[in-house]
Amino acid sequence: MNRPEQTPPPEAGQPGWRNAALWLVIGLPLLSIVAGVGLVVIATRSGGADTVNDPVRRVAQIQTTDLSPDAKAKKLGLSAVLRVEDGIVEVLPATGEFPRDQPLQLFLQHPTRKAEDIQLELAPEGPGWRLEQPVDPGHDWVVQLHAADGSWRLHGRLIRQQHAARLAPLIGGGG
């Protein structure tokens, strides 16, 4: 009758650190603790994912914000084209009646880093509003355009390496 081979018992003189099972028992929990701490550090340094710049009211687990500027832009039939090229930022009205004598506020949000957001005031010039300001084309921008008094607001997205974006109200299929 064949007997299965048995591993010989460890010698009494062999140190415990040479035992592979001991490394698994100690090493795996230690590795998981280090990885968990690393993930927590990375998550806290990157900031929150909630990048909404509007004032948000939180009740229980529901977040609400004021959409009346978007509703007013829809009611006025406003839409525009944002053009960013050669260090010039320009907004051209597409539809609706814009107040031509007032400057417009343009907010360019970096998709992940709030420190790189850009807020501009565009003065009326020619057929639209214009300002000399270089804008990094290396990534997308989330765009908000609103009246100086905040009464209406348009939204859009300037895609990486593109020079123009359509701005429209979020309500009613815009944006």
Side-chain angles (χ1 to χ4, degrees):
M1 165 151 102
N2 285 347
R3 290 180 136 185
E5 283 190 32
Q6 294 181 348
T7 56
E11 296 178 20
Q14 184 179 13
W17 59 268
R18 290 189 149 211
N19 188 346
L22 178 67
W23 283 107
L24 286 175
V25 168
I26 294 172
L28 285 178
L30 274 176
L31 184 64
S32 67
I33 290 170
V34 170
V37 168
L39 286 173
V40 168
V41 168
I42 290 170
T44 56
R45 285 189 181 169
S46 66
D50 189 6
T51 60
V52 176
N53 285 322
D54 296 335
V56 175
R57 193 172 59 123
R58 289 175 174 85
V59 178
Q61 292 184 357
I62 300 171
Q63 297 181 10
T64 59
T65 189
D66 182 17
L67 295 177
S68 61
D70 300 294
K72 178 142 187 206
K74 181 181 181 212
K75 182 179 176 185
L76 295 171
L78 300 179
S79 70
V81 174
L82 169 68
R83 191 176 79 82
V84 178
E85 191 171 17
D86 300 329
I88 296 174
V89 177
E90 186 175 34
V91 172
L92 301 168
T95 60
E97 291 296 321
F98 285 84
R100 297 288 304 139
D101 58 337
Q102 298 177 6
L104 297 180
Q105 303 293 318
L106 181 69
F107 191 48
L108 300 170
Q109 293 176 273
H110 188 280
T112 58
R113 291 187 295 275
K114 187 172 182 63
E116 293 188 31
D117 291 354
I118 302 171
Q119 187 155 0
L120 306 171
E121 184 172 302
L122 304 175
E125 186 177 318
W129 293 262
R130 186 180 174 120
L131 177 70
E132 288 189 31
Q133 171 75 36
V135 174
D136 180 13
H139 55 79
D140 291 7
W141 289 99
V142 177
V143 181
Q144 276 191 20
L145 177 71
H146 52 88
D149 63 1
S151 60
W152 55 264
R153 174 175 56 197
L154 301 177
H155 299 266
R157 187 169 194 96
L158 183 61
I159 304 297
R160 177 179 178 248
Q161 300 296 333
Q162 291 192 5
H163 301 290
R166 177 181 176 264
L167 306 178
L170 281 180
I171 297 175

